[in-house]
Amino acid sequence: AQTVTQSQPEMSVQEAETVTLSCTYDTSESDYYLFWYKQPPSRQMILVIRQEAYKQQNATENRFSVNFQKAAKSFSLKISDSQLGDAAMYFCALNTGTASKLTFGTGTRLQVTL
Amino acid sequence: EAEVAQSPRYKITEKSQAVAFWCDPISGHATLYWYRQILGQGPELLVQFQDESVVDDSQLPKDRFSAERLKGVDSTLKIQPAELGDSAMYLCASSSRDRMNTEAFFGQGTRLTVV
């Protein structure tokens, strides 16, 4: 079985500041991928960033970066220079095994204030 | 830009009635997922198809839910009879290959309210 835990139901950040969203996971698989998805209000979920378990280097995509700690099974998302458009639900997700099963956490609602 | 299409966007149905949702994945995507998302929670996988075959339906309440993808393209999720606890957002997603690193593309979902 695989699980994904997001312990922060809500977070708030001021525009232009940096915020970190936490995620921990559990799996018995040695090869897997981790993802952060963003779900804006009333819009479809979109991929923000992905990380392969075998890669030690943390993934980055423009203002978004991750801190992947494999031994601790931790996968946090850092958003730099936060913008109003970053306000959304953020879901951490884990994909393992040949069947490509995608398991999500419960989400963190991010508010961006002026 | 190609998108996953879902219909209807909103559905209100009475308890014990039948309801069906439709999903058209991005062309060429072999893997199709149906997720249920209760308000304030993360998506929960109901069923996963690879082409027309079910690869995971372990969380699908089979006494009332059914899903099919007859020609390996579009898919239908049915609930009969609907219960109050089925009120949720039903999300469809597709991906191009049956691989862990493949991005899943999501539709806008169908919001179901059972009254």
Side-chain angles (χ1 to χ4, degrees):
Chain A
Q2 54 195 53
T3 60
V4 178
T5 302
Q6 293 179 252
S7 59
Q8 305 157 316
E10 290 191 15
M11 292 285 284
S12 183
V13 63
Q14 283 192 324
E15 197 177 19
E17 296 297 309
T18 296
V19 64
T20 298
L21 308 184
S22 301
C23 172
T24 58
Y25 62 93
D26 193 23
T27 179
S28 57
E29 301 280 346
S30 58
D31 192 17
Y32 50 89
Y33 271 78
L34 292 157
F35 303 82
W36 279 98
Y37 279 87
K38 170 185 177 181
Q39 188 178 39
S42 301
R43 299 186 64 182
Q44 64 255 56
M45 203 168 320
I46 56 174
L47 178 68
V48 175
I49 197 167
R50 82 186 86 189
Q51 172 82 38
E52 182 179 6
Y54 274 112
K55 289 189 176 178
Q56 293 187 344
Q57 185 174 6
N58 289 324
T60 62
E61 288 286 344
N62 301 312
R63 298 182 295 107
F64 298 87
S65 62
V66 299
N67 183 3
F68 175 46
Q69 302 290 326
K70 190 173 183 179
K73 294 186 176 176
S74 170
F75 182 62
S76 60
L77 174 69
K78 185 171 80 171
I79 306 174
S80 304
D81 186 24
S82 297
Q83 301 174 359
L84 294 178
D86 294 333
M89 283 290 289
Y90 286 82
F91 292 97
C92 179
L94 168 68
N95 200 335
T96 68
T98 55
S100 193
K101 179 175 178 177
L102 191 59
T103 301
F104 286 85
T106 52
T108 297
R109 182 175 301 280
L110 178 66
Q111 291 183 319
V112 182
T113 59
L114 294 172
Chain B
E1 185 175 319
E3 290 189 343
V4 175
Q6 287 190 249
S7 67
R9 288 288 309 280
Y10 304 93
K11 180 70 178 179
I12 299 174
T13 191
E14 292 185 346
K15 178 182 167 183
S16 80
Q17 295 298 302
V19 64
F21 315 129
W22 176 79
C23 172
D24 190 12
I26 292 172
S27 179
H29 280 194
T31 305
L32 185 148
Y33 308 85
W34 281 103
Y35 286 88
R36 176 171 58 188
Q37 185 179 20
I38 296 171
L39 190 63
Q41 299 184 19
E44 172 197 21
L45 180 67
L46 292 175
V47 61
Q48 179 181 341
F49 290 92
Q50 180 67 19
D51 298 310
E52 67 275 8
S53 300
V54 174
V55 297
D56 187 346
D57 64 355
S58 57
Q59 300 303 311
L60 188 71
K62 298 181 187 64
D63 57 336
R64 298 185 301 108
F65 285 65
S66 64
E68 61 182 14
R69 194 184 183 199
L70 291 176
K71 296 183 179 179
V73 181
D74 59 336
S75 176
T76 302
L77 179 70
K78 296 179 181 177
I79 308 175
Q80 182 175 17
E83 296 181 353
L84 296 177
D86 297 330
S87 294
M89 176 76 84
Y90 290 82
L91 298 171
C92 179
S94 68
S95 62
S96 61
R97 296 183 304 276
D98 184 18
R99 294 288 184 270
M100 290 182 284
N101 63 331
T102 304
E103 174 183 358
F105 292 84
F106 285 80
Q108 290 193 296
T110 296
R111 182 169 296 283
L112 173 67
T113 302
V114 182
V115 297

